[in-house]
Amino acid sequence: MNPAADADSIIERLAALRTADPPTHGGRVLSYVYDSGLSELDRVASEAVQQVLPVNGLDPTTFGSVAVLESELVGFVRDLLHGDAEVVGSATSGGTESCLLAVKTARDVWRQTHPEGRPRLVAPTTVHAAFQKAAAYFDLVLDLVPVAPDASVAAADVVARLTDDVALVVLSAPNYPFAALDPIADVAAATAASGIALHVDACIGGLVLPFWTDAAGGPLPAWDFRVPGVSSVSADLHKYGYAPKGASVVLQRGRDRQRHQFFATTRWPGYPVVNPTLLGSKSASPLAAAWAISRWLGADGFAELAASCARSTAALRAAIAGIDGLRVVGDPVGPLFAVATDESVPADRRVDPHHWADAVRGYGFVLQLQPGMQQEGGERLPATTHLTVTPVTEAVLDELTAALTAGADAVRGTPHVDGSALLAGLPPLDPAALDADTAWALLQGVGIGGGAELPDAQAPLIALIEALPAPIAERLLIELLGRLVEP
Ligand SMILES: Cc1ncc(COP(=O)(O)O)c(C=O)c1O
């Protein structure tokens, strides 16, 4: 034991560090955190975490509790997503792991009938970045289908790409950046006819869309296992399942298909290894918390929380519609949406979404800036600001609406940051030649990374990302994050 540090002072230091974080409760951060607003739910989750803290989730044959929790949690989500007994699943550490596993499974199934060649993954541009990561990790060709500026993708554009080398099509329910619900049934009809797998990424929607209606109060188009061609679905418990981070489920139609998700080996001198997911030893705490919450809330509890999200989302979308110079992008489905400049009004009345987000932050609400993006072979997607609405939003709705309005008033007419001007004076950059020190010097040259803190105004940082070629921007971001946690 370290005599210089007693337990209380260690925990006090941690508490002090946490006070510098944006508040994770109370509805002030409209991304990353999913607050039910129910203190009893937090207590149930926290006690569940404590119970299994020392358990190793690696081995449900040793820790039988893990097998029961996983089976019951997967069963709960399977019922919500209309899976029958043919649908099996695994608890994972989060959306990214669920998405990675869906791709790994599809690749290995495809390889059974295609011993040669590289499989392709087809998805709209708006598919979560986790699938770009999966294609990179598992060596699939990533084939992104451009979407319309309103973020909708035409089923025919996806179907047109279905050739024999396609191992997987991924659609979202809904996608993260704009909350568009992709045309799942239409694409599924084509994938099923050609024997191609279709994954529905419901990481964000999986625990809330089952309780969502369309604008007229009618049912949403079927997007889950009710659609016969859907092979797998990912749904995160650490989003609208209100669990602490580290909990998601990936469901697969068919035991034989799902077995390709696993890795097993007896070819080493240690214990026989069989892993359904990417990790080896793993915490059982998020699983236990997600399980406890699902039991405590039940489907009715989830429905009530979804109804609160729906009320707040409708109120906020109406508020945006009433703010001159801003507009909601497309036709979002679920408790999230993106806001862009309304180009239909004269320049002096337009509101740049990134300056707006920076201004709203000054009123105590953290929104998420999303860069504009030129799609390969398609139209440019606008710069936007993203809002994720949670049940606790309802408690701060008036204050938030006032902040959104005042923020817009403060920056109306201020044009988007000119990223290319920020780049002026930089030498031509080759990402392959950017070593860590050169990348760091470049960041400091544009005013980022001098101190430990990231700048308050994020509009210039995002403008830089928009202006730089993606490989350079990616290399600089890697440097920024790498330096942030260096001892
Ligand atoms: C649609 C979608 N898919 C995948 C992910 C990745 O999830 P995670 O951040 O839990 O890895 C997210 C996260 O927001 C998401 O919204």
Side-chain angles (χ1 to χ4, degrees):
M1 256 180 293
N2 176 3
D6 67 279
D8 287 346
S9 68
I10 292 169
I11 298 302
E12 266 167 36
R13 167 127 197 276
L14 175 56
L17 289 170
R18 286 282 290 114
T19 59
D21 288 339
T24 45
H25 279 85
R28 304 221 147 242
V29 179
L30 286 101
S31 61
Y32 295 138
V33 289
Y34 300 79
D35 184 1
S36 68
L38 303 173
S39 55
E40 183 67 359
L41 181 148
D42 292 338
R43 187 182 72 78
V44 168
S46 158
E47 288 191 7
V49 163
Q50 288 301 322
Q51 287 272 339
V52 298
L53 212 47
V55 164
N56 191 342
L58 165 70
D59 187 357
T61 66
T62 300
F63 298 103
S65 60
V66 174
V68 174
L69 299 182
E70 180 160 357
S71 153
E72 293 189 3
L73 183 66
V74 167
F76 178 77
V77 179
R78 178 175 76 176
D79 286 349
L80 281 183
L81 305 188
H82 302 97
D84 56 18
E86 230 199 325
V87 172
V88 286
S90 307
T92 74
S93 64
T96 297
E97 191 179 14
S98 291
C99 298
L100 289 171
L101 289 168
V103 175
K104 188 253 185 231
T105 305
R107 183 201 64 178
D108 290 359
V109 170
W110 183 88
R111 277 184 180 165
Q112 284 192 301
T113 48
H114 299 76
E116 306 273 316
R118 241 177 119 205
R120 222 147 41 90
L121 190 167
V122 173
T125 316
T126 45
V127 78
H128 195 274
F131 290 95
Q132 300 195 15
K133 186 178 190 173
Y137 278 16
F138 299 124
D139 196 30
L140 286 86
V141 179
L142 182 67
D143 188 0
L144 292 178
V145 183
V147 303
D150 70 356
S152 65
V153 69
D157 290 350
V158 178
V159 171
R161 306 216 181 184
L162 300 184
T163 46
D164 183 55
D165 58 347
V166 177
L168 184 67
V169 174
V170 182
L171 297 177
S172 304
N175 69 46
Y176 182 80
F178 304 103
L181 177 60
D182 288 335
I184 289 159
D186 288 349
V187 173
T191 52
S194 11
I196 295 172
L198 172 62
H199 179 75
V200 173
D201 179 12
C203 278
I204 200 150
L207 276 293
V208 69
L209 290 200
F211 312 104
W212 209 260
T213 57
D214 66 15
L220 296 179
W223 54 270
D224 57 13
F225 285 107
R226 281 168 294 176
V227 180
V230 169
S231 326
S232 52
V233 180
S234 46
D236 290 358
L237 280 306
H238 67 198
K239 293 192 172 76
Y240 288 99
Y242 311 106
K245 293 295 178 249
S248 172
V249 159
V250 59
L251 297 166
Q252 309 251 17
R253 200 194 296 270
R255 283 198 186 94
D256 286 319
R257 171 180 190 79
Q258 194 231 17
R259 300 317 189 227
H260 291 276
Q261 183 190 301
F262 285 59
F263 175 83
T265 185
T266 52
R267 291 174 242 185
W268 77 308
Y271 55 90
V273 165
V274 49
N275 296 155
T277 61
L278 295 175
L279 303 181
S281 285
K282 59 185 178 187
S283 171
S285 294
L287 165 65
W291 169 86
I293 291 168
S294 71
R295 300 258 125 189
W296 187 73
L297 277 178
D300 289 348
F302 279 100
E304 267 179 47
L305 293 176
S308 164
C309 292
R311 287 191 296 272
S312 298
T313 304
L316 290 172
R317 285 177 58 176
I320 301 293
I323 297 178
D324 197 27
L326 287 176
R327 67 184 171 92
V328 171
V329 178
D331 182 19
V333 176
L336 54 154
F337 57 90
V339 178
T341 301
D342 180 0
E343 307 273 355
S344 73
V345 301
D348 63 339
R349 281 172 43 199
R350 292 180 193 162
V351 175
D352 174 68
H354 294 174
H355 289 313
W356 177 58
D358 282 339
V360 171
R361 197 186 181 101
Y363 294 97
F365 289 95
V366 184
L367 313 181
Q368 194 173 52
L369 294 78
Q370 303 186 131
M373 194 193 101
Q374 180 57 52
Q375 300 179 88
E376 224 180 293
E379 295 189 64
R380 191 173 171 83
L381 296 175
T384 55
T385 283
H386 177 106
L387 284 81
T388 295
V389 177
T390 61
V392 80
T393 307
E394 211 164 13
V396 292
L397 203 48
D398 290 344
E399 200 189 337
L400 173 58
T401 305
L404 299 180
T405 307
D409 290 344
V411 300
R412 186 167 291 107
T414 308
H416 195 67
V417 176
D418 179 2
S420 53
L422 295 174
L423 295 184
L426 285 186
L429 299 170
D430 169 9
L434 269 185
D435 61 29
D437 286 342
T438 314
W440 187 231
L442 276 171
L443 279 168
Q444 291 178 305
V446 292
I448 298 165
E453 305 260 314
L454 288 178
D456 265 353
Q458 292 187 5
L461 180 63
I462 302 292
L464 201 60
I465 290 171
E466 290 171 337
L468 282 166
I472 305 275
E474 288 155 1
R475 179 63 190 85
L476 294 181
L477 289 172
I478 288 170
E479 197 55 41
L480 187 61
L481 211 70
R483 299 274 173 169
L484 206 60
V485 299
E486 267 183 26

